């Protein structure tokens, strides 16, 4: 059986902040449980032909637990390690060194992790706190306590890369499916939330990260496709997109989504509208009409006719 691998993350550049003694203390605490555990620390690994970024990111992916030591500052490599651990659903143990002031980036990362972190004053204290926290974690694993964490994997990491590069993506499913405006930008992936921006009107909306089923990469000029467990739904008034957790019906060949019956005499819509049989609405759509979607994401129908509004 392979030992339980623990990734040790912190600033390594002593010129920025000297945490080398703390790193060694954390490694020693993990190795205290050898041979069932082993620590992964960049400085202790053998030479590799891989670029440093790929090397330590792969180390995070292949580890079973992520231990982060935060001092006064934050660096891009540490943030990349943290993002990778979160994207891949790695359990985390966070330790914050007591400092007079902490840079906003480091403080923000501590609070965005959404786990309880422990404070320490020096390397000796850190070693004992890592040993105790890790021992408790191993004991819970042996007992089978707790739920299996969500492991969304590489697709969230890819979305985060799209956010950094400003890449346009297509979102599916999208209702109405006939719309030509399927492109969005990924603004951010933070704390289990994916924030999207509509390319045409700059509207922002959010999708729970666990609702992202897959991200299908594509070579330009094609756009990547983001598949959702749910749907992005147009709401006619006030003209916004919104995420709903229900997928479109599998038998929905028209791509209209979910409908609801209303009286033709009083559909409850206070804008100019017309009724049209569903099988005949294509001509009206070409004339500039669109299906009316209420606030619950459902279109309004009555005896086989669909409510349309002029756009």
């Amino acid at each position: 059986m392979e030992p339980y691998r623990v990734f040790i993350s912190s600033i390594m550049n002593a010129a920025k902040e000297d945490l080398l003694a703390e790193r060694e203390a954390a490694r020693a605490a993990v190795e205290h449980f050898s041979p069932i555990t082993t620590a992964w620390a960049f400085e202790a690994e053998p030479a590799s032909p891989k670029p440093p970024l790929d090397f330590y990111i792969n180390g995070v992916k292949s580890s079973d637990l992520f231990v982060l030591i935060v001092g006064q500052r934050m660096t891009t490599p540490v943030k990349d390690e943290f993002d990778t651990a979160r994207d891949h659903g790695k359990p985390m143990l966070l330790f914050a060194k007591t400092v007079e002031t902490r840079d906003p980036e480091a403080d923000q990362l501590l609070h965005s992790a959404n786990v309880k972190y422990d404070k320490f004053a020096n390397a000796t204290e850190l070693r004992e706190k890592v040993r105790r926290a890790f021992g408790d974690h191993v004991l819970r694993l042996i007992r089978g306590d707790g739920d299996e964490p969500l492991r969304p994997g590489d697709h969230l990491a890819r979305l985060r890369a799209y956010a950094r590069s400003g890449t346009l993506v297509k979102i599916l499913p999208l209702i109405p499916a006939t719309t030509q405006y399927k492109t969005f930008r990924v603004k951010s992936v933070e704390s289990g939330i994916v924030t999207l921006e509509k390319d045409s009107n700059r509207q922002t909306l959010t999708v729970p990260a666990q609702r992202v089923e897959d991200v299908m990469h594509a070579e330009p000029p094609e756009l990547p496709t983001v598949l959702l467990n749910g749907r992005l739904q147009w709401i006619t008034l006030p003209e916004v997109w919104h995420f709903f957790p229900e997928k479109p019906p599998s038998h929905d060949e028209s791509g209209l989504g979910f409908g609801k019956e209303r009286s033709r005499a009083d559909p409850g819509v206070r804008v100019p509208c017309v009724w049209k049989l569903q099988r005949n609405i294509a001509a009206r759509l070409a004339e500039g009409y669109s299906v009316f979607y209420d606030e619950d994401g459902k279109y309004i129908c009555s005896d086989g006719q669909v409510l349309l509004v002029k756009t």
Side-chain angles (χ1 to χ4, degrees), residues 106-121:
D107 192 62
Q108 180 182 4
L109 186 145
L110 276 175
H111 290 89
S112 68
N114 198 30
V115 298
K116 181 186 182 301
Y117 62 87
D118 203 355
K119 298 179 180 179
F120 68 94

Side-chain angles (χ1 to χ4, degrees), residues 75 114 119 158 186 210 236 250:
T75 60
N114 198 30
K119 298 179 180 179
R158 182 167 287 173
V186 183
Q210 67 267 30
T236 302
S250 58

Side-chain angles (χ1 to χ4, degrees), residues 8 46 76 95 109 121 123 141 160 173 182 186-187 189-191 207-209 224 239 267 296-297 308-309:
I8 309 298
T76 299
F95 301 89
L109 186 145
L141 290 176
R160 202 182 298 278
K182 298 182 179 181
V186 183
K187 294 292 290 182
V189 183
E190 296 291 344
S191 302
V207 176
E239 298 186 342
D296 58 2
L308 306 179
V309 295

